[in-house]
């Protein structure tokens, strides 16, 4: 009986591992996305809802992060904020009213996705898709797109954060707004730790100020 139970447990563990592998297999490398997204306008972005825009992006560069973000947005009940898919599997956070969604996995070094959009003064929308990967390689970048309600297209706008992209000696991390409209960027490099604030001007986040952050030394 004990031997049978052990076999069942091992079988379940193997099944969980296979499922976990299936979730992440076939996902486009974030390195590839980073090198290609600026050069293509995407068509078929539907009504400009967050779901429609992400579905359009995911057709061109499918990833497990965007796939689960879309799945979470479609299945969550009104007012629900979080959807967990199981141990080692993705977790989705969604704030419908703020037009913000996040997808990630609860294991060390996993890729993650954070998305928001702004309503522009010309009736368009600005979509921001932040991809992050802590290791192998460490990479962080934001894809900015203009959504046209007339053409239902997503047109790249890569110059919004020019000068605030990772180099060999300086790392940048991005804080898309879950509340409000300001974009904040954290910088770590030769100048120390700085936080840069970009204020919304009706069309895009515009650089406003930089502040030095004094990091607390936890060593005793």
């Amino acid at each position: 009986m004990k031997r049978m139970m052990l076999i069942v447990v091992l079988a379940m563990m193997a099944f969980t591992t296979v499922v976990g592998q299936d979730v992440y297999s076939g996902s486009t490398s974030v390195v590839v996305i980073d090198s290609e997204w600026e050069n293509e306008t995407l068509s078929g972005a539907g009504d400009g809802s967050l779901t429609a825009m992400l579905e359009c992006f995911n057709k061109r560069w499918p990833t497990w992060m965007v796939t689960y973000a879309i799945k979470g947005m479609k299945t969550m009940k009104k007012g629900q904020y979080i959807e967990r898919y199981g141990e080692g599997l993705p977790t989705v956070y969604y704030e419908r009213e703020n037009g913000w969604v996040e997808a990630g996995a609860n294991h060390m070094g996993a890729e993650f996705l954070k998305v928001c959009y702004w309503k522009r003064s010309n009736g368009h929308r600005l979509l921001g898709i932040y991809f992050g990967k802590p290791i192998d390689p460490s990479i962080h970048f934001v894809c900015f797109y203009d959504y046209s309600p007339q053409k239902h297209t997503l047109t790249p706008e890569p110059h919004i954060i020019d000068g605030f992209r990772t180099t060999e000696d300086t790392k940048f991390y991005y804080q898309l707004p879950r509340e409000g409209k300001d974009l904040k960027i954290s910088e770590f490099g030769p100048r120390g730790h700085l936080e840069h604030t970009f204020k919304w001007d009706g069309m895009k986040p515009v650089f406003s100020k930089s502040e030095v952050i004094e990091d607390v030394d936890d060593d005793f």
Side-chain angles (χ1 to χ4, degrees):
M1 185 68 173
K2 289 183 178 180
R3 186 167 181 269
M4 181 61 70
M5 290 180 64
L6 178 60
I7 292 173
V8 171
V9 170
L10 290 174
M12 290 178 65
M13 290 175 63
F15 176 76
T16 301
T17 301
V18 170
V19 170
Q21 290 173 346
D22 287 344
V23 167
Y24 307 113
S25 65
S27 190
T28 308
S29 166
V30 292
V31 176
V32 171
I33 297 173
D34 186 32
S35 67
E36 295 181 351
W37 77 270
E38 297 184 14
N39 304 313
E40 282 191 48
T41 293
L42 306 178
S43 59
D47 62 0
S49 65
L50 190 55
T51 302
M53 290 189 289
L54 285 181
E55 285 179 330
C56 178
F57 183 92
N58 210 40
K59 287 178 182 178
R60 177 60 183 87
W61 295 286
T63 64
W64 67 264
M65 296 91 83
V66 175
T67 298
Y68 269 83
I70 294 168
K71 183 178 179 180
M73 289 190 289
K74 286 184 175 181
T75 59
M76 283 187 204
K77 298 177 181 178
K78 186 176 181 180
Q80 189 175 2
Y81 172 69
I82 182 170
E83 182 77 64
R84 290 188 174 92
Y85 291 96
E87 186 65 31
L89 296 178
T91 298
V92 175
Y93 301 86
Y94 179 35
E95 294 186 0
R96 188 187 308 271
E97 292 182 0
N98 296 332
W100 180 90
V101 66
E102 175 182 356
N106 54 351
H107 60 81
M108 188 68 70
E111 302 166 318
F112 65 83
L113 167 84
K114 298 181 181 181
V115 183
C116 75
Y117 72 87
W118 294 262
K119 294 180 179 179
R120 302 183 116 169
S121 56
N122 65 352
H124 289 214
R125 293 186 174 186
L126 180 68
L127 175 69
I129 307 175
Y130 174 17
F131 287 102
K133 191 173 187 293
I135 56 175
D136 300 326
S138 174
I139 185 169
H140 295 261
F141 61 95
V142 181
C143 307
F144 285 106
Y145 287 96
D146 173 76
Y147 167 77
S148 168
Q150 292 80 27
K151 298 179 180 179
H152 309 290
T153 54
L154 294 175
T155 303
E157 293 201 2
H159 303 301
I160 288 177
I161 53 173
D162 275 351
F164 295 87
R165 302 192 192 189
T166 292
T167 62
E168 286 189 9
D169 60 355
T170 305
K171 299 284 187 181
F172 291 95
Y173 304 90
Y174 308 93
Q175 301 172 41
L176 298 183
R178 290 172 61 177
E179 295 182 1
K181 295 184 177 181
D182 293 350
L183 167 70
K184 293 190 176 182
I185 301 176
S186 296
E187 173 185 340
F188 295 87
R191 300 196 297 170
H193 180 186
L194 288 80
E195 183 177 81
H196 310 287
T197 299
F198 286 66
K199 293 287 188 181
W200 180 250
D201 74 349
M203 285 295 291
K204 64 182 183 297
V206 176
F207 175 75
S208 173
K209 63 179 181 179
S210 296
E211 298 176 284
V212 176
I213 305 298
E214 297 294 340
D215 293 318
V216 177
D217 189 350
D218 293 330
D219 294 337
F220 291 97

